[in-house]
Amino acid sequence: MSTVLNYPLVKGKTVSTEEALKKAKKLVSSSKSIHIDGLACDNNGLKSIFQFAEKYNASVDHMDGQKNADLNNTIQRYGGFFSSFGEVYHRSELILFIGFEKSLPCEFGHLKKGLKRPKIIFFDEKFKVSDREICLDIKKNKIIEIIKQTYKSLKLKKKSKEFQVNEIIKLLNASNYTTIIYAPHNDKELTNEIFRLVRHLNNLNIKTSILSYNGSNNLSGAVQYSLWKTGYPLRIQFTESGPVYNPIEINSKNLSKKKELQIFISCFDSNSRPNMFNKNIFIGNPNQLKKKDFDIFLPTKIPGINKSGIVHRGDGVGIKKLKKISDSQNLSVEDIIDLIS
């Protein structure tokens, strides 16, 4: 049975879809400068968004864009030592999980049964472990220090006073191939320390790689589509002479003071908290909290619930197919973007 999960809003008041689209199109056409953020949608939605951004010379970033910018900055400093899911499955004898909270995404289930029967190590104290799994029981605010101490102990070739550090080094030395699977959470220092440690381990001929997991909101898909379209990994400004890449200045916090209109797209998260501009259009989850704060609120179908779709896997290599499980009369992201262009 088809259902409408919510209704569009203009200035906090319920209106018809046609009225909301008309108002949104007028706001777009009258705005001198546009920033597009969020980008939490499937790949069809991303295609429409980038076509729209090019047409209106808009800037583009993802709601988790800072994670991506920090990662790229760290790679430039320390170099990259990356693995895909397949390589981890076939080669890893030791897997260290860092940055995950309470539970792991379903994609990691098969890695626990890899061909090398890897040892699984969790850093966070919240994990409950089973056979062949170990939790180092490190408090979240201590993880950076433990990684620093591991690097220091290896560099100085001295035993550490920290029990966990000595255990980590013992495990690393016993493994022919180790992977650190890391979920960044806007923690630049932690990202830097992990990459510094991995570079040093490889310099010591202790073969270690990183699988950076970008997680939810299809950040990997947004990065990949941006690369296909522009050659740059997000944080771009379309211009008459082509896209401009600026990972430092092209972000919503900075642009909220300079640009007139923000279009924020978020299908998966119902509690998105964007930086607000002078004018704001929200396109996405019908159950978004504080929806009345936006000038125009346009609810959409949710990929994986009301529509089928494709998103990129967290490692950015493979894709995931999302299946429709229920109907909705709401429009899709790509339908809305096309109608307000």
Side-chain angles (χ1 to χ4, degrees), residues 44-103:
N44 279 336
L46 290 172
K47 181 179 179 180
S48 293
I49 290 166
F50 276 85
Q51 289 174 343
F52 177 95
E54 187 173 23
K55 177 180 178 179
Y56 288 95
N57 284 334
S59 52
V60 183
D61 193 20
H62 189 277
M63 62 200 304
D64 295 324
Q66 191 60 47
K67 295 180 186 178
N68 189 58
D70 289 345
L71 180 62
N72 291 333
N73 179 268
T74 302
I75 293 169
Q76 289 176 346
R77 183 176 180 184
Y78 294 111
F81 307 85
F82 293 105
S83 287
S84 65
F85 275 80
E87 188 175 19
V88 176
Y89 181 82
H90 285 92
R91 295 186 64 188
S92 287
E93 297 179 1
L94 174 66
I95 301 176
L96 307 178
F97 285 99
I98 302 175
F100 294 88
E101 297 179 358
K102 295 185 180 179
S103 61

Side-chain angles (χ1 to χ4, degrees), residues 323-337:
K323 293 183 179 180
K324 173 182 173 181
I325 58 176
S326 68
D327 290 325
S328 170
Q329 292 179 11
N330 293 330
L331 298 172
S332 66
V333 168
E334 54 269 31
D335 289 337
I336 291 174
I337 293 294

Side-chain angles (χ1 to χ4, degrees), residues 38-41 62-64 214-220 222 266 268-269:
L39 274 60
C41 58
H62 189 277
M63 62 200 304
D64 295 324
N214 287 326
S216 58
N217 297 316
N218 200 19
L219 173 57
S220 291
S266 179
F268 306 113
D269 187 359

